[in-house]
Amino acid sequence: MNEHYEKLMKCFDCIQKKVTFKPELALILGSGLGDYADTMEVAETLDYHDIEGFPVSTVPGHKGRFVFGYAGGVPIVTMQGRVHYYEGYAPQDVVLPVRLMKLMGAKTLFLTNAAGGINRSFNAGDFMLITDHISMAVPSPLIGDNIDELGVRFPDMSEVYSRRLRKIIENSAVTAGVPLRKGVYLQTTGPQYETPAEIRAYERLGADAVGMSTAIEATAARHAGMEICGISCISNLAAGISANPLTHAEVQETADRVAPLFKKLVTQAIVDIHNA
Ligand code: HPA
């Protein structure tokens, strides 16, 4: 058996022995947005440490557990703390949680992140609906023997972020009264923030926002046939667009400041996706 599939099934077997909840949607929370789970009606939780073979996150501000419960009455699973490529995990390990959530029953993947704004019309604190992504020097999580049980060898990526879900979320934003931008997200490996020259290059490539997650997870989720949507919280203007040096503290401060609006938007979107 494929080694990554073997590891995946081992984790899944372990989860099945501990959790009975059946989520409909999987929500991944970005930097500073991790307290979304506080607004949920929690049914069960499972620490990553308690899953044999599961990659565990080290970033300050990231809790490491799956939270199972209801958001606006919809059964979901969220990851409180995600795994990043820059932490040193293999790309296949970075996407293991996404694959697990698919196996748990989630058909939809809702990705969120904190990102630097490249588009010059963006402000810190804006939300951006992700329309597409660019993966910049991040190795594909699909490299190696294909996991035929999950998807095909050469998956199509022409609509990673579902047009159907994007329409729903644009309406959710109107209902929730939360302004929503749209744009292309570019993932770098990190962990360093970008140079101004890199940001100018990414701007020319067509990126509106930059961060260190999401594209890799979306790639694996698309491979596995999930329907995907994503929202970035523009936590800062990218290097060279802002005159200030970037800090993780600034990213978290902005995310904390806009967290109430973010939660409102995400919950509305989850309810609308469920009802559509
Ligand atoms: N660059 C990369 N990742 C980020 C940024 C940024 O400016 N802000 C939040 N995550």
Side-chain angles (χ1 to χ4, degrees):
M1 206 200 291
N2 178 314
E3 61 168 312
H4 297 299
Y5 188 60
E6 207 170 318
K7 189 166 176 179
L8 181 68
M9 292 318 287
K10 201 169 160 194
C11 288
F12 184 52
D13 287 344
C14 183
I15 291 171
Q16 277 192 305
K17 285 190 193 111
K18 299 183 180 188
V19 175
T20 55
F21 197 86
K22 289 279 166 279
E24 181 177 304
L25 176 146
L27 174 67
I28 301 188
L29 302 165
S31 229
L33 305 171
D35 70 349
Y36 179 81
D38 297 346
T39 66
M40 288 169 56
E41 186 195 322
V42 176
E44 291 174 77
T45 63
L46 181 60
D47 283 4
Y48 299 155
H49 289 284
D50 295 332
I51 309 168
E52 221 181 309
F54 191 92
V56 176
S57 176
T58 56
V59 181
H62 284 256
K63 283 183 198 159
R65 59 180 192 166
F66 284 117
V67 178
F68 302 88
Y70 299 88
V74 182
I76 73 167
V77 53
T78 81
M79 285 185 71
Q80 233 173 355
R82 82 209 294 175
V83 180
H84 295 89
Y85 180 57
Y86 61 73
E87 292 171 75
Y89 297 108
Q92 293 85 355
D93 280 343
V94 176
V95 303
L96 188 136
V98 172
R99 288 172 162 166
L100 277 176
M101 293 192 290
K102 155 85 190 191
L103 293 178
M104 291 174 200
K107 293 183 173 58
T108 307
L109 177 64
F110 198 138
L111 288 154
T112 70
N113 57 55
I118 296 179
N119 185 315
R120 287 167 195 273
S121 74
F122 288 1
N123 298 303
D126 283 354
F127 298 116
M128 182 190 88
L129 182 64
I130 303 175
T131 57
D132 204 346
H133 74 223
I134 298 170
S135 179
M136 180 58 60
V138 180
S140 168
L142 309 179
I143 288 174
D145 286 343
N146 184 50
I147 305 181
D148 297 328
E149 290 83 353
L150 293 182
V152 298
R153 171 76 291 188
F154 301 108
D156 175 60
M157 292 285 148
S158 55
E159 193 184 315
V160 176
Y161 302 85
S162 156
R163 196 175 291 276
R164 188 183 81 87
L165 294 183
R166 277 186 272 148
K167 268 207 190 108
I168 294 170
I169 295 173
E170 284 188 75
N171 286 325
S172 308
V174 173
T175 306
V178 178
L180 186 59
R181 314 284 201 141
K182 281 192 269 189
V184 171
Y185 176 92
L186 182 145
Q187 179 179 358
T188 67
T189 66
Q192 76 283 6
Y193 291 118
E194 302 69 35
T195 65
E198 285 167 342
I199 293 300
R200 285 194 299 277
Y202 299 161
E203 185 177 22
R204 283 169 181 72
L205 289 178
D208 296 290
V210 60
M212 305 173 194
S213 66
T214 300
I216 192 166
E217 293 141 316
T219 300
R222 195 71 207 105
H223 172 250
M226 296 178 88
E227 195 177 14
I228 303 162
C229 58
I231 300 176
S232 293
C233 166
I234 305 299
S235 54
N236 58 281
L237 299 181
I241 293 185
S242 151
N244 310 325
L246 306 187
T247 63
H248 186 60
E250 180 193 357
V251 169
Q252 292 225 295
E253 268 165 35
T254 308
D256 287 348
R257 177 166 61 80
V258 298
L261 270 187
F262 171 77
K263 288 175 192 168
K264 192 174 171 195
L265 173 60
V266 169
T267 304
Q268 185 70 50
I270 289 172
V271 169
D272 291 345
I273 290 168
H274 170 78
N275 291 331

